[in-house]
Amino acid sequence: MRKNFGAKPWTYPQPVLIIATYGEDGTPDAMNAAWGGISEEAQLSMCISAEHKTTANILARKAFTVSMATAAQVVACDYVGIASGNKEANKLEKAGFHTTRSEFVDAPLIDELPMALECRLICYDPETCRLVGEIVNVSADESVLDANGKIDPDKLEPITFDPVHHTYRKLGETVGNAFRDGLKLK
Ligand SMILES: Cc1cc2nc3c(=O)[nH]c(=O)nc-3n(C[C@H](O)[C@H](O)[C@H](O)COP(=O)(O)O)c2cc1C
């Protein structure tokens, strides 16, 4: 027997994306977003509410960065999801986050979050809350690279959002090889 839960915004795993922006006066802001993901080879789509400070910043600066939330920074990553830059002027300072300007887009990188996508705004629709960004660059701190210079998820420790229990979880271990394991059945 299956149990029906009705229409819910539930998938596993959901990402924990930290969107960082500059305000018109240059103040950095960040927010937590679970509703989003890759939607083209060099494109990311998210659903972000029109009333967020982040949204106003993106529309003003036409750019944003998207960092992967990490286990080490879970408290700060949750904080930026429950406090708004519209009300809290020192939001990033309170989160303990420091920023460095992206070399590629007019948006800040969060120093404490080692992997980020640097994006240019393609479009935003306030009716549907859909934000689409062009991925201009992906950057990662050397501390989370493996011996071959690739991003190592075991070092990065990205977290996922559990929308059923409202918790954050670490990624689990490798259980298969993509585009390969299925070949056994082809
Ligand atoms: C786990 C989690 C996931 C969230 N996902 C989203 C989301 O996908 N879209 C959205 O608009 N807000 C989302 N939020 C809410 C924003 O992060 C929150 O309203 C934030 O305060 C906005 O900050 P700002 O006004 O400084 O931009 C989420 C919050 C949390 C804690």
Side-chain angles (χ1 to χ4, degrees), residues 29 31-35 47-49 52-54 81 83-85 91 168:
D29 188 31
M31 68 165 263
N32 183 323
W35 295 355
C47 173
I48 64 167
S49 302
H52 295 332
K53 177 69 175 149
T54 299
S84 173
K91 182 172 167 181
Y168 299 105

